Amino acid sequence: MFFNAPANPTKLKQTVYLVASTILGLLLGLIAHALVEMAYLSFMAIRGGAVIFYGGCALPFGLQIIIWMLGAVGGFFLGRFWWRKVYVERAWADKK
């Protein structure tokens, strides 16, 4: 099952693949957002500075949007890259 060549690519399969990789990118963006915010809060605690919270988050809204957008765009392009490698070029199936 896992070592057979992938089935013929369809538009629906490609759409699902790209949506799933975009969601994965958003989730990775959420993890990156948490790590950046923890580092920022740790830095400000060591420095002794005041932290302003923007609706429950210490990062400014613009930076939050940038992190989420980078995650979504990165996930989309990563999905396009792996779609081409797995279903179009079939790179791993040729190495048998």
Side-chain angles (χ1 to χ4, degrees):
M1 176 180 164
F2 292 113
F3 298 111
N4 295 334
N8 292 333
T10 62
K11 273 301 205 190
L12 178 64
K13 190 182 288 187
Q14 182 181 14
T15 303
V16 169
Y17 196 88
L18 290 177
V19 167
S21 65
T22 303
I23 291 172
L24 176 65
L26 284 170
L27 292 174
L28 291 175
L30 177 68
I31 292 172
H33 176 269
L35 292 175
V36 168
E37 187 168 359
M38 287 188 318
Y40 173 69
L41 290 174
S42 175
F43 172 74
M44 291 305 281
I46 291 170
R47 193 167 161 233
V51 176
I52 300 171
F53 283 87
Y54 302 95
C57 184
L59 298 177
F61 186 69
L63 185 58
Q64 293 177 36
I65 295 296
I66 289 171
I67 291 173
W68 281 85
M69 291 301 292
L70 284 175
V73 170
F76 177 77
F77 284 113
L78 189 68
R80 282 187 50 184
F81 172 79
W82 284 110
W83 174 264
R84 189 182 71 235
K85 287 290 185 188
V86 173
Y87 287 100
V88 176
E89 295 174 8
R90 297 176 187 255
W92 69 274
D94 295 338
K95 292 184 179 182
K96 281 188 168 180

